Amino acid sequence: MREILIRCSSLGKIMTEPKTKAEGELSVGAKTYIRELAQQEIFGIDFEFSSKETEKGIEVEGEAIALLNRVRGLSLSKNAERKSDGFITGECDLFDQSVRKGYDLKASWSAKTFPGWVKDCEDKLYEWQCRGYIKLWCADEWEVAYALVDTPERLIGYEPLQMHIVSHIPEHMRLTGWVIRRDVEKEALIERKVKAAQAYFQEVIAEFDQIHKSPELQAA
């Protein structure tokens, strides 16, 4: 059985601290997530699913990048490189090598869900995702950039159009960024947590095989 690499987008799921020492290195929630990964591996099925929010993010990615570039005076293009280091794996959105800074671009679903203030951007899952990218790209900092652009009409449904058709609002008002700076101690913690996750992954695979022995093996 292969050794897993944790995706940067899922890294926060294993980084939560246990509530008691008896839990070991990984929290109950982290172990639940690793068992989910193991079941995906065993069945050969990806449990990821789509939603109208994720569909919008995919469809308007180019517009969101263009908005970021115009507001910030940049000329960045979509990254197509996936990196791995034996612990984590990820394919970031944008990376500016000249200043060693990356961007994780989030297209907000609507004007209502767009975070207008930095404190509304802060999210532990996104923080660890960015710390993963920082580690892989050897960056100094990473920015979670929320962009508000028009929603494709087929996705809007019954929600008010004015929450989704937003291109009349000045562009600088439709971009909010939250910056995460490099922390080598947290990167060391990532490696420690992933090692524990990899060990637990192998453990639960073996346990599954024991529980679900084939009839032929059970009769032997």
Side-chain angles (χ1 to χ4, degrees):
M1 188 63 64
R2 69 181 177 88
E3 188 170 78
I4 59 163
L5 298 175
I6 302 297
R7 294 177 183 174
C8 288
S9 58
S10 301
L11 186 55
K13 294 180 180 180
I14 71 162
M15 297 305 297
T16 53
E17 287 301 321
K19 292 181 179 178
T20 66
K21 290 184 178 180
E23 292 178 42
E25 184 72 58
L26 299 172
S27 69
V28 170
K31 289 178 179 177
T32 299
Y33 175 65
I34 297 302
R35 291 196 300 275
E36 181 182 306
L37 289 183
Q39 191 146 314
Q40 290 183 70
E41 176 78 11
I42 291 163
F43 292 158
I45 299 172
D46 190 340
F47 295 167
E48 295 292 325
F49 62 91
S50 185
S51 66
K52 61 185 181 180
E53 290 83 2
T54 56
E55 283 188 49
K56 175 180 178 177
I58 292 168
E59 289 190 31
V60 305
E61 184 176 47
E63 295 172 53
I65 291 172
L67 175 67
L68 174 73
N69 280 334
R70 288 194 298 269
V71 173
R72 297 291 179 80
L74 302 170
S75 56
L76 301 177
S77 56
K78 172 69 176 172
N79 167 66
E81 181 185 10
R82 174 167 289 276
K83 292 193 176 190
S84 304
D85 66 356
F87 299 97
I88 56 177
T89 183
E91 185 175 322
C92 73
D93 290 333
L94 304 163
F95 184 61
D96 189 344
Q97 181 64 54
S98 65
V99 292
R100 295 162 60 89
K101 178 178 179 178
Y103 296 84
D104 186 53
L105 202 56
K106 312 275 186 199
S108 293
W109 167 243
S110 68
K112 181 180 179 180
T113 66
F114 173 72
W117 290 264
V118 175
K119 64 172 58 180
D120 296 325
C121 299
E122 296 173 0
D123 181 291
K124 277 294 179 184
L125 284 176
Y126 293 158
E127 177 189 347
W128 285 113
Q129 179 178 7
C130 290
R131 292 202 181 284
Y133 292 143
I134 287 171
K135 186 174 187 296
L136 290 173
W137 267 263
C138 198
D140 291 329
E141 62 183 32
W142 218 271
E143 181 173 343
V144 184
Y146 285 85
L148 180 62
V149 299
D150 290 348
T151 304
E153 287 195 26
R154 69 174 190 84
L155 296 176
I156 295 173
Y158 295 104
E159 293 188 13
L161 277 177
Q162 62 264 32
M163 290 209 309
H164 292 275
I165 306 305
V166 295
S167 49
H168 61 284
I169 299 172
E171 290 189 331
H172 70 278
M173 295 173 63
R174 293 189 280 120
L175 186 73
T176 308
W178 171 41
V179 176
I180 293 99
R181 292 179 175 80
R182 188 166 199 176
D183 185 326
V184 293
E185 290 185 3
K186 289 186 177 179
E187 289 177 28
L189 179 60
I190 287 172
E191 293 191 4
R192 198 172 81 224
K193 292 283 190 181
V194 174
K195 283 180 181 177
Q198 289 172 336
Y200 185 66
F201 181 84
Q202 301 298 338
E203 179 186 324
V204 296
I205 290 283
E207 184 180 350
F208 185 96
D209 291 343
Q210 184 65 31
I211 294 170
H212 301 278
K213 282 183 178 178
S214 66
E216 294 82 6
L217 289 175
Q218 289 179 15

